[in-house]
Amino acid sequence: MKYIGMDSSRQLITRERIKEESSHPGNPGTSVQNANLSSSSTSGYVSGQDEDAGRGCDREYVPDSVFSSDNPFFSSENAVAISTVEDLSSAVERCKARIFESPECSEERKWLVRNLIELQIFLQEKKEVEKTDVDSTNSSYGKMRIVMGHHFILQKQINAKHYCERCSGVIWGMVHSWYQCRDNMIEPRRCDYDGKYYCHSCHWNALSVIPARVIHNWDFEERRVCQSSKQFLTLMAKRPVLKLEELNPLLFNFVTELGDVKKVREDILIMKKYFVSCKNAIDNRILWKLQDRLHFAENVDSYSLQDLIDLNSGELLTYLQSILEVFEKHIKQDCQLCSGKGYICEFCKVQIIIFPFDKSTITCQKCQSVFHKYCWTTKNQQCPKCERVFRRNLESLDNLSLEDT
């Protein structure tokens, strides 16, 4: 019996069976190539998976020199005898020597290199097992198990009981024994975003601003988060998903900058009505100056986490004011079509064109007419245009009643 490889399945095949299959009259084309020699440690030479289909059979061939008598780690006797660390170490050294003696780029060398790798893996596993036996004997906790390189120690059973909050009766106790990895006995790390605990592999002490703390406490201090939370917060940082007026409307009373930003965003929405009907603004793509924050041209209540961070640092207001200056310059100076859509205050009759986004003006909520704030307040907030429309409607009703009579 010949030992082929030292992989997880420890496949053993008989050379005599291969010879029988190669000389069987019913299978004239059967040879060593058809033996199932697949291995988990290598995928090229044994399984025959290769892009070159013409040479696929050669990759499955096991050279006769590998089974020679001077190759002890492939003999049937030593296949069983190799069971200690010393025997495996000796087999590794003999395999190395055999590799240097074999021709370069030959099938024999390929098979020897493959088996050297498998011997070294088997040797490492043997060392782990022997070390486990010693540690398990000296351990005060109990037996140890190795799973994928982790050393799990059986922990002492704690007879913990839980009691009913009302009658103090025992409701459940210890369910089963448990193991703890000896290599990872480390303090867990808490993610400040989701409140869960993670190991050091999943929590690298990355820092990030927490959205909930910003919304409810206006707290921009960076706190430690796990890797998954860090990636999620980075991905969502520039997405306008925070509606502050719904989540915490009182925040606008304490943070004056939020009110300033809201006023600027309202002005941008008013100016947008001019731009969408202006050919020059469309050709110049003036609204694309907000390409980093296009949601500012859609509504006034959606914010991204990055917006709030920039607002706290002062960058957002500076950015919006520079954009607002460009928009105002286009409407008032550069474009005659937009400037022709201005208003004249009907109260004071001053021949100065005013716009609804000016700081000194106010807009009637019914008819959208624009007036000076001073004039509006002195006239008791009575819109003359609305009064004219009201009188005209009364006159039309009176005329209809007269015609009916």
Side-chain angles (χ1 to χ4, degrees), residues 254-314:
F254 297 95
V255 183
T256 56
E257 292 84 356
L258 280 174
D260 298 337
V261 171
K262 184 179 179 180
K263 178 62 172 63
V264 172
R265 294 182 66 170
E266 290 174 349
D267 293 342
I268 290 176
L269 290 180
I270 295 172
M271 295 178 183
K272 179 183 176 182
K273 298 177 182 179
Y274 289 81
F275 298 147
V276 295
S277 60
C278 176
K279 184 178 182 300
N280 296 330
I282 295 174
D283 294 340
N284 296 331
R285 305 183 69 180
I286 192 169
L287 277 176
W288 277 97
K289 294 185 179 296
L290 280 170
Q291 59 181 348
D292 295 333
R293 292 181 168 90
L294 285 177
H295 54 281
F296 281 7
E298 300 295 334
N299 52 65
V300 297
D301 58 345
S302 296
Y303 294 85
S304 67
L305 180 61
Q306 190 63 47
D307 292 338
L308 301 180
I309 294 175
D310 293 342
L311 175 61
N312 184 62
S313 63

Side-chain angles (χ1 to χ4, degrees), residues 13-251:
I13 65 170
T14 58
R15 195 175 186 185
E16 291 79 7
R17 183 176 178 181
I18 297 176
K19 290 181 178 179
E20 290 176 4
E21 292 178 352
S22 62
S23 61
H24 197 277
N27 299 312
T30 307
S31 61
V32 179
Q33 293 91 327
N34 295 330
N36 183 11
L37 302 177
S38 61
S39 171
S40 60
S41 59
T42 56
S43 60
Y45 310 131
V46 183
S47 61
Q49 297 175 356
D50 191 87
E51 296 178 358
D52 188 359
R55 300 182 60 187
C57 294
D58 294 339
R59 296 296 179 93
E60 295 178 357
Y61 172 65
V62 182
D64 290 337
S65 58
V66 175
F67 295 102
S68 61
S69 59
D70 60 339
N71 195 359
F73 42 89
F74 274 107
S75 64
S76 59
E77 296 80 10
N78 287 331
V80 180
I82 298 177
S83 59
T84 63
V85 174
E86 292 77 10
D87 294 338
L88 284 170
S89 301
S90 177
V92 168
E93 296 301 325
R94 291 197 295 271
C95 187
K96 290 180 181 179
R98 180 80 181 195
I99 290 174
F100 288 113
E101 295 173 0
S102 62
E104 294 185 2
C105 302
S106 62
E107 292 295 328
E108 178 183 356
R109 171 167 287 194
K110 293 175 183 178
W111 273 88
L112 290 171
V113 170
R114 171 223 172 157
N115 281 275
L116 174 62
I117 296 172
E118 295 179 344
L119 280 169
Q120 290 175 334
I121 294 174
F122 193 37
L123 174 60
Q124 184 63 30
E125 291 179 355
K126 266 296 183 186
K127 291 180 179 179
E128 293 277 358
V129 171
E130 291 189 0
K131 184 179 179 181
T132 299
D133 295 338
V134 175
D135 292 343
S136 298
T137 304
N138 299 330
S139 176
S140 59
Y141 290 97
K143 296 182 179 180
M144 181 189 300
R145 298 176 61 184
I146 299 179
V147 179
M148 299 181 65
H150 293 270
H151 300 76
F152 291 96
I153 301 174
L154 180 63
Q155 302 297 306
K156 292 181 179 179
Q157 294 186 2
I158 302 175
N159 190 16
K161 295 182 180 180
H162 293 259
Y163 301 91
C164 176
E165 295 292 339
R166 182 175 180 83
C167 65
S168 300
V170 178
I171 52 180
W172 61 275
M174 189 69 178
V175 178
H176 56 76
S177 302
W178 60 286
Y179 288 81
Q180 184 174 3
C181 181
R182 184 189 65 182
D183 305 322
N184 292 323
M185 290 184 180
I186 53 180
E187 287 293 328
R189 293 177 177 177
R190 182 178 180 274
C191 175
D192 198 85
Y193 178 71
D194 58 14
K196 298 179 180 180
Y197 291 90
Y198 297 86
C199 66
H200 288 196
S201 300
C202 301
H203 195 311
W204 298 357
N205 282 332
L207 298 176
S208 179
V209 176
I210 308 302
R213 296 184 180 274
V214 174
I215 295 171
H216 297 287
N217 300 324
W218 204 243
D219 180 7
F220 291 89
E221 181 182 353
E222 292 186 335
R223 287 175 169 80
R224 293 184 175 88
V225 295
C226 65
Q227 286 304 106
S228 59
S229 297
K230 177 66 175 179
Q231 293 175 1
F232 176 75
L233 292 173
T234 303
L235 178 66
M236 300 295 292
K238 294 186 178 182
R239 297 192 180 186
V241 295
L242 303 176
K243 297 185 180 295
L244 290 185
E245 294 189 10
E246 296 180 6
L247 298 172
N248 189 8
L250 296 179
L251 191 62

